[in-house]
Amino acid sequence: AGIVNDPSEARSEIQFFTPLGVHLRTLKVPGNISAISWEQYGQRLAIAVDTALMFANIQPNYQWTYFNNTLVYAYPKSESDLCLTFWDVEIDEKYVKYVRNLMSIKSAGEYCVILTQAEESNTWALLLCNSTGSPVETKYVNFEPSYISISKTHIVACSQETVYVWQYSKKSRISKDPTKAKIGKEIAFHVDDIPDMNKTYDKESYQPAEQIQDPITGVTNSEDVLIIARESGTITKFMLPHIAFEKKFTIKGAAEQLALNCNSTRLGVIDREGIMVIMDIERDGVILGNEKKDIWAMQWSNDNPTLSAHMEKNRLYIVRDLANEEPVLSGAYLCDFADLEIKGILVDELMRTPEMVKKINEFVVTFETKSLRDAKAMLDQVSIKEATAYIEQKPHPRLWKILAEKALDKFDLQTAEKAFIKSENLHGIRFVKKLQIVDDNLSLIHISEPTRPERISYAVFCLKKK
């Protein structure tokens, strides 16, 4: 911590580094710093600034991820081993495995990728695992990846200068010809070069390049797009599966976190100073809206390309079409955003005593968007007709679903059928059709709760004569 000698302005900064000297984050502080002190758990920092005492919340980079209703987290079990827990939050069932030299965990869809340093010298392993922690496939590389990313079709691992792309899903094969099945399955290339799709990566023969002046600082990918960020602020876009160069964009600082929206048209970027911008990567990287400060995490919605959430200090903001909703106080780490609900994990609390956890759901929190809260309130307070008009202005499958349930409860079959059609619920449409042919002398008196909270469940409808 100290004063930066900037000709334009004198300011104080605190620089955060790993034990190996890798720069993590810069915290700008107004005034002159005279002392700093860590809190017991390493999650808060007390800063003496002039005559004031300030506190900074620290967000540690835990080894954890969430996918397919499963929370995965790692904590030390011994000096050399880490306990890696796969905990299904729906059925409250966990699977435990032990790993050595764990470096990173990322997930997408039904799989996660685990990066470890292998026992063999100069070898690192990428393990593709399912939600019970069982390995599905493993690949080895002869360079040290600093960043990894995964989508439903590709895994990408990057050192400071080398990019490795593993096409693990058969759905994204470049050629349907069985004799050309290996084309594009494993590719490694220097970040400044054009990748050769006909040259399959071979760990024994590939020669990693030496360090470069403009190293890679982050990577993310979807099924169609690969994004690579550099120290200079350059962001490069490639199209998958052919890894074809598309465009280059530039931001002010070095990107630390990257996130693509559900249709790969927008990119969220958080730099090392906690400044976040949203870029339209379909329009030459145009910055959308204003930049936001003190951001440490963001999450795009899985079903709406203009809906996102981010954490600013200890506040959760939901953003719809670049407009913020009212913030919610929370320290949760964002893990999923679907059906107008954001799911977060209280990772700080979980990691204090990870071996003592009995109920994982105690560490899982859910937040609803304003449109979902308002729709539920309207369905309880106003007529079905007024609620339908509101949902038509802000359409979403989740809103049509709750409207259909409320309409069925009131035996309004016309509205229920419309809502099921809007939400593309074929089973619901068929059920309403059956109810419509029931004798007019019958009326609905009760609908039981679903038998289980899954996509396929059952309910009982009770009818009586009028």
Side-chain angles (χ1 to χ4, degrees):
I3 298 175
V4 177
N5 294 320
D6 191 331
S8 60
E9 60 172 336
R11 65 178 187 275
S12 296
E13 285 185 356
I14 299 178
Q15 304 279 358
F16 295 87
F17 297 86
T18 69
L20 299 177
V22 179
H23 180 241
L24 294 174
R25 180 64 70 94
T26 298
L27 177 64
K28 295 180 180 179
V29 179
N32 295 319
I33 299 174
S34 56
I36 57 175
S37 179
W38 284 98
E39 175 247 9
Q40 176 185 359
Y41 295 104
Q43 294 177 2
R44 300 183 76 194
L45 190 67
I47 311 166
V49 183
D50 295 331
T51 59
L53 184 63
M54 302 177 65
F55 295 92
N57 291 321
I58 308 301
Q59 305 298 333
N61 187 20
Y62 298 111
Q63 298 288 13
W64 77 282
T65 190
Y66 180 89
F67 70 105
N68 203 23
N69 296 323
T70 301
L71 173 63
V72 185
Y73 60 95
Y75 60 91
K77 193 65 177 178
S78 64
E79 291 185 1
S80 58
D81 290 344
L82 285 175
C83 180
L84 192 59
T85 303
F86 291 74
W87 205 320
D88 190 315
V89 301
E90 291 290 332
I91 60 176
D92 198 25
E93 189 171 276
K94 70 175 180 179
Y95 305 87
V96 176
K97 62 185 300 182
Y98 297 93
V99 297
R100 290 189 175 184
N101 305 318
L102 177 65
M103 298 174 64
S104 186
I105 314 171
K106 298 292 181 182
S107 63
E110 298 180 354
Y111 299 100
C112 71
V113 58
I114 301 172
L115 173 63
T116 64
Q117 184 171 5
E119 298 295 333
E120 183 182 348
S121 61
N122 296 322
T123 302
W124 289 262
L126 293 163
L127 287 79
L128 182 68
C129 298
N130 60 20
S131 57
T132 63
S134 301
V136 176
E137 194 172 355
T138 303
K139 296 293 182 181
Y140 296 92
V141 295
N142 63 345
F143 60 89
E144 181 177 357
S146 302
Y147 312 95
I148 61 173
S149 176
I150 180 174
S151 69
K152 294 180 180 180
T153 55
H154 294 78
I155 291 172
V156 182
C158 299
S159 65
Q160 292 189 338
E161 65 287 322
T162 301
V163 181
Y164 168 83
V165 181
W166 169 19
Q167 187 184 104
Y168 70 89
S169 173
K170 295 180 180 179
K171 295 179 181 179
S172 60
R173 282 181 176 175
I174 293 176
S175 176
K176 295 182 180 180
D177 186 348
T179 61
K180 300 180 180 179
K182 291 187 176 182
I183 295 179
K185 184 173 177 61
E186 280 188 271
I187 297 292
F189 60 97
H190 190 277
V191 68
D192 291 327
D193 295 339
I194 298 174
D196 183 358
M197 298 302 292
N198 294 311
K199 191 174 182 180
T200 302
Y201 172 78
D202 178 52
K203 182 176 74 74
E204 303 301 328
S205 60
Y206 183 79
Q207 297 294 325
E210 298 180 357
Q211 291 188 355
I212 55 177
Q213 294 183 348
D214 190 13
I216 296 171
T217 60
V219 63
T220 189
N221 71 292
S222 65
E223 296 166 49
D224 308 310
V225 173
L226 166 63
I227 300 291
I228 297 174
R230 310 281 290 272
E231 183 77 33
S232 61
T234 300
I235 295 177
T236 307
K237 175 185 176 183
F238 296 88
M239 300 304 295
L240 297 174
H242 296 86
I243 321 180
F245 170 77
E246 178 83 2
K247 295 176 183 176
K248 281 189 178 182
F249 319 113
T250 304
I251 60 173
K252 293 180 182 178
E256 182 182 64
Q257 296 183 46
L258 303 165
L260 283 163
N261 67 349
C262 62
N263 63 358
S264 302
T265 58
R266 294 184 179 184
L267 175 70
V269 182
I270 304 176
D271 68 15
R272 289 174 179 168
E273 295 184 359
I275 297 174
M276 183 183 77
V277 295
I278 303 296
M279 305 175 68
D280 187 336
I281 58 174
E282 293 286 293
R283 295 192 296 149
D284 298 325
V286 174
I287 303 297
L288 303 174
N290 299 321
E291 65 179 29
K292 295 177 173 60
K293 298 181 179 180
D294 301 321
I295 309 300
W296 56 272
M298 83 161 297
Q299 182 81 33
W300 286 102
S301 170
N302 297 339
D303 47 34
N304 188 331
T306 64
L307 194 60
S308 66
H310 63 263
M311 297 298 302
E312 179 184 318
K313 296 180 180 177
N314 63 341
R315 295 187 296 272
L316 166 65
Y317 284 90
I318 299 171
V319 183
R320 179 187 291 274
D321 293 328
L322 306 178
N324 288 352
E325 295 182 3
E326 288 296 319
V328 179
L329 289 176
S330 176
Y333 285 63
L334 307 181
C335 66
D336 190 39
F337 192 175
D339 284 341
L340 303 180
E341 284 189 344
I342 302 161
K343 189 171 289 185
I345 308 295
L346 302 175
V347 184
D348 288 334
E349 289 80 353
L350 174 66
M351 290 300 184
R352 286 178 184 174
T353 55
E355 66 281 353
M356 304 295 289
V357 176
K358 302 297 182 183
K359 293 285 186 180
I360 197 63
N361 284 322
E362 296 176 358
F363 302 93
V364 181
V365 292
T366 303
F367 306 94
E368 296 180 345
T369 63
K370 186 176 184 300
S371 60
L372 180 57
R373 296 195 305 269
D374 290 348
K376 287 183 175 180
M378 292 188 73
L379 287 169
D380 290 334
Q381 300 169 8
V382 302
S383 67
I384 289 286
K385 185 177 181 180
E386 291 177 275
T388 303
Y390 173 80
I391 293 173
E392 285 176 339
Q393 293 176 355
K394 298 184 178 181
H396 189 279
R398 178 68 184 279
L399 300 184
W400 288 116
K401 178 183 177 181
I402 63 174
L403 175 62
E405 292 171 353
K406 192 68 174 181
L408 282 176
D409 191 39
K410 295 183 177 295
F411 213 59
D412 184 347
L413 300 184
Q414 184 178 357
T415 302
E417 182 181 16
K418 176 181 178 180
F420 280 132
I421 292 173
K422 292 288 188 180
S423 60
E424 299 180 358
N425 186 331
L426 180 59
H427 297 290
I429 296 170
R430 288 176 176 173
F431 179 73
V432 172
K433 291 293 186 184
K434 289 182 179 181
L435 286 179
Q436 287 173 341
I437 62 175
V438 171
D439 194 304
D440 292 338
N441 291 324
L442 297 177
S443 62
L444 183 69
I445 61 171
H446 176 69
I447 305 177
S448 73
E449 292 295 323
T451 55
R452 54 181 182 265
E454 297 180 7
R455 294 185 64 184
I456 300 176
S457 62
Y458 303 90
V460 177
F461 289 74
C462 297
L463 303 168
K464 74 171 184 178
K465 287 187 177 182
K466 293 182 180 178

